[in-house]
Amino acid sequence: MAGQFKRDVCVVGGGGHIGLPLALTFCDVGYDTVIYDINTKTVEQIRRGEMPFSEEGGQEALDRAIVSGRFSVDSEPSKIADCKFIVLVVGTPVDEHLNPSFTAIHKAIDSCAKYLRDGQILILRSTIFPKISAHIQQYVREKGLDVRVAFCPERVAQGYSLTEFRSMPQIISAFDPTTLAEVKALFGRFASEFVEMEPMEAELCKLMTNAWRYLQFATVNQFYMIASHHGLDFNRILHGCRHNYPRMKGMPGPGFAAGPCLVKDTMQLAAFSQGHFVLGHAAMLVNEGLPAHLIELAKREKDLSNLTTGILGAAFKSECDDPRDSLAYKLRKLLSLESKQVLMTDPFVQDEKLVPLEVVMSRADVLFVATPHKAYKELKIPADKLVIDVWNCLGRS
Ligand SMILES: NC(=O)c1ccc[n+]([C@@H]2O[C@H](COP(=O)([O-])OP(=O)(O)OC[C@H]3O[C@@H](n4cnc5c(N)ncnc54)[C@H](O)[C@@H]3O)[C@@H](O)[C@H]2O)c1
């Protein structure tokens, strides 16, 4: 696979939530794999053989990589020069105006530029704004390099990447058929199905996939708000909508829709549509407005001003240790203005401001379920304690 190069693949951003599982998968299927990541703490952790975050099967895959003899981890980019494929999977956030920020991707390319060599293939795996692939292709050509760019977006569910890389169709795109074929061969060692697209189609496909999910969550969250505003139990309505009715099979339940991807990718699409993606903005208003709605529901039942409130869960989704862009933090901020004290707990998230579950359970007068971790389903909560549980995680409705 490496041809004229000593090594097969370097994952730039390979210490991250997507980059690390991908690098471990490349290594597992026999590629000589390099990780380059600027986060020195993560690099050290991976070198010690410790997974920096939770990932199903991740520790075992890292253990295998360490002993494989074909895995190296660096916080400086020089090994890029040895690799046939460079897979770039750095974070691609939106800025304070909710516009895509190109800084991270440019910085990453610039830090690698000195080590790019003719004949390499640069695979963009981050979620990017439409036309960025073409822009990057032009950018490397202007540096006089014969480096071919491909765009192969990542679509896994964080935490389950190692399984999903192998089970989900891979979207692949490039600017010429030879590059497309080489990229297909690279992923073909573990992926079973491919969807070939033009780069800009693939860029939009990825953004639309995430925006679609975000809109679906917003729709059901708005239904929840309408029903609960009128004092109705939305779960009974949801059951009615879905029960043995195939056309509503895909209807999700209500809950916090946030995390590191859905909001920012919806906003990238909104920026691309030059402000005409009204559904995207509406979805953000609904999803981001849910914490305040939950507090209003609690305030109908109790005066919170002299009470302690407790938040169960800080991660952005269940069974996950990642608090990035979690609405639990927004809920905590709002509650800090409304209640005497707010206590938050999470079994997975490392955050010194969190307290043990027992403390929340014994001291909180009102409980909010922010993340539906499985452990909460077993909790014994006195029937007279007010619980605001948008997920129906505790099954009290
Ligand atoms: N997290 C998900 O569930 C998910 C799913 C699909 C797609 N994506 C996309 O994948 C991309 C990465 O997301 P993530 O969640 O893995 O982010 P992350 O922050 O966990 O990982 C990014 C990594 O890149 C490193 N990095 C940043 N700049 C760098 C540079 N110049 N050189 C080398 N390393 C650098 C960081 O240190 C970090 O370890 C984003 O575009 C995201 O939208 C994420």
Side-chain angles (χ1 to χ4, degrees), residues 98 211 214-215 217-223 225 255-258 262-264 266-267 270 277-294 327 330 334:
L98 301 177
Y214 193 62
L215 260 63
F217 293 135
T219 306
V220 83
N221 281 338
Q222 183 135 46
F223 292 168
M225 289 179 186
F256 284 172
L262 297 189
V263 196
K264 65 113 177 150
T266 305
M267 288 304 107
F277 185 28
V278 286
L279 285 175
H281 283 289
M284 195 179 89
L285 290 177
V286 173
N287 287 330
E288 291 286 314
L290 187 55
H293 176 81
L294 299 183
L327 284 173
K330 184 170 194 169
L334 296 174

Side-chain angles (χ1 to χ4, degrees), residues 322-341:
D322 190 352
R324 288 182 297 170
D325 295 318
S326 164
L327 284 173
Y329 287 83
K330 184 170 194 169
L331 178 65
R332 183 173 73 177
K333 184 155 66 173
L334 296 174
L335 279 174
S336 70
L337 300 174
E338 300 284 354
S339 60
K340 193 175 68 180
Q341 188 187 18

